[in-house]
Amino acid sequence: MKINSTLGIIGYPIGHSVSPRFQQAGLDHLAVDHQYLPYEVPPDLVADFVASLRSDPARGINVTVPHKEAVMPFLDEIDEWAAEAGAVNTIVNRGGRLVGYNTDGYGFLRALRESAGLDPAGKRALILGAGGSARGVVQALLRAGVAELVIANRTLERAAALADLAANRDVPARAVELNALATDGVPRETDLIVNCTSLGMHHGPDESASPMAAARIPPTALVYDLVYNPMLTPLLREAHSVGAPTLGGISMLVYQGAASFELWLERRAPVSVMMEAAMAAMRERETQVP
Ligand SMILES: NC(=O)c1ccc[n+]([C@@H]2O[C@H](COP(=O)([O-])OP(=O)(O)OC[C@H]3O[C@@H](n4cnc5c(N)ncnc54)[C@H](OP(=O)(O)O)[C@@H]3O)[C@@H](O)[C@H]2O)c1
């Protein structure tokens, strides 16, 4: 299996991805003659696919679920963020040399600062979930100077492993079971709640479920849901009902993609054009949902 365009995204499955829509919109806006295509690559073909990226004219690709860790052994170099996250979401072909990056943490922070106007330095955050995205979010918040973390997850051991990551950086952190939030509640002084579980995600484990009930959400906390399909998730509905400010996952998606775009092309990504294209793609999708 080979790349036959200059840019693209690999995953398995990949039909759900909106990256081709907003990346192509960015390329077309700058009149750059590149095509960005989706590639559905089964796990046993990942090595071959990555090897084909060394050829000209491939510039690189985005990597999504479930290949973010699997691509790592086939790369020549891995940057610091990706090594720390243990996952690569962007590969750049530098004259046949493949370099792996992870722009998720950058996209998360840029969306937090620019779309929600919140600087996490000195803030107290509650992270819901302890999977791949939660790891990237915790890493980004630690780099940004967060003051305190609570990590809530269905599987307590995974939350504890993330809390250890924070403790190693001398940031107070504790792990709790996700279910315990319903009874123990959330400290009123929480500034930021980030959903990194797949609850509420279309075609996810439970699309109608919110990881937190409205009664437990402090109305002054920013509620940031990484889930972007649907755009209005069950958690965001709960947050709206108590008047808490909210941020959905689309801006993180676009900002991480814009960072990849800039790594491949070494020019500024037209973020507002890309954002508009992503929102349009999501709106179309939502009108198609039965
Ligand atoms: N906006 C963006 O750019 C962006 C970027 C990355 C991810 N995301 C979204 O973030 C979500 C998580 O992605 P991920 O890569 O972190 O996934 P992941 O590694 O598979 O982690 C899934 C998380 O959800 C929890 N979970 C799954 N089913 C659950 C259930 N029935 N009840 C309670 N908890 C449950 C898991 O808990 P256990 O540990 O107990 O299994 C785990 O914490 C997805 O919806 C993804 O689309 C968005």
Side-chain angles (χ1 to χ4, degrees), residues 129-133 153-155 158 196-198 201 205 226 249 252-253:
S133 64
N153 195 42
R154 177 179 60 178
T155 310
R158 293 184 87 189
C196 305
T197 75
S198 34
M201 180 177 78
L226 261 51
M252 169 176 170
L253 183 75

Side-chain angles (χ1 to χ4, degrees), residues 72-264:
M72 295 177 80
F74 311 117
L75 305 179
D76 302 306
E77 194 182 323
I78 291 180
D79 100 319
E80 203 190 320
W81 275 65
E84 199 178 304
V88 159
N89 79 336
T90 306
I91 300 175
V92 183
N93 175 10
R94 297 199 198 285
R97 205 176 147 68
L98 300 184
V99 187
Y101 296 86
N102 193 318
T103 62
D104 282 335
Y106 167 84
F108 165 80
L109 283 179
R110 187 169 173 194
L112 184 60
R113 291 181 174 132
E114 295 188 19
S115 305
L118 190 135
D119 183 346
K123 301 290 194 298
R124 297 171 192 214
L126 166 64
I127 310 302
L128 310 172
S133 64
R135 191 178 173 87
V137 162
V138 166
Q139 174 193 7
L141 287 173
L142 290 171
R143 282 182 181 248
V146 72
E148 201 176 313
L149 287 169
V150 176
I151 297 151
N153 195 42
R154 177 179 60 178
T155 310
L156 185 60
E157 300 80 57
R158 293 184 87 189
L162 278 189
D164 286 348
L165 199 80
N168 291 340
R169 302 257 187 106
D170 295 328
V171 172
R174 66 190 169 91
V176 299
E177 275 184 34
L178 191 62
N179 281 342
L181 293 180
T183 46
D184 300 351
V186 175
R188 301 308 286 175
E189 60 275 16
T190 300
D191 302 296
L192 171 66
I193 297 173
V194 189
N195 178 34
C196 305
T197 75
S198 34
L199 288 176
M201 180 177 78
H202 193 47
H203 298 312
D206 191 344
E207 38 187 282
S208 62
S210 169
M212 278 182 82
R216 299 297 177 190
I217 299 175
T220 52
L222 172 72
V223 178
Y224 185 172
D225 200 337
L226 261 51
V227 174
Y228 55 84
N229 186 13
M231 287 193 282
L232 182 55
T233 64
L235 174 63
L236 296 183
R237 283 181 203 277
E238 298 286 305
H240 288 162
S241 74
V242 295
T246 61
L247 177 63
I250 276 283
S251 41
M252 169 176 170
L253 183 75
V254 172
Y255 284 131
Q256 61 79 32
S260 306
F261 185 107
E262 291 177 358
L263 285 166
W264 296 316

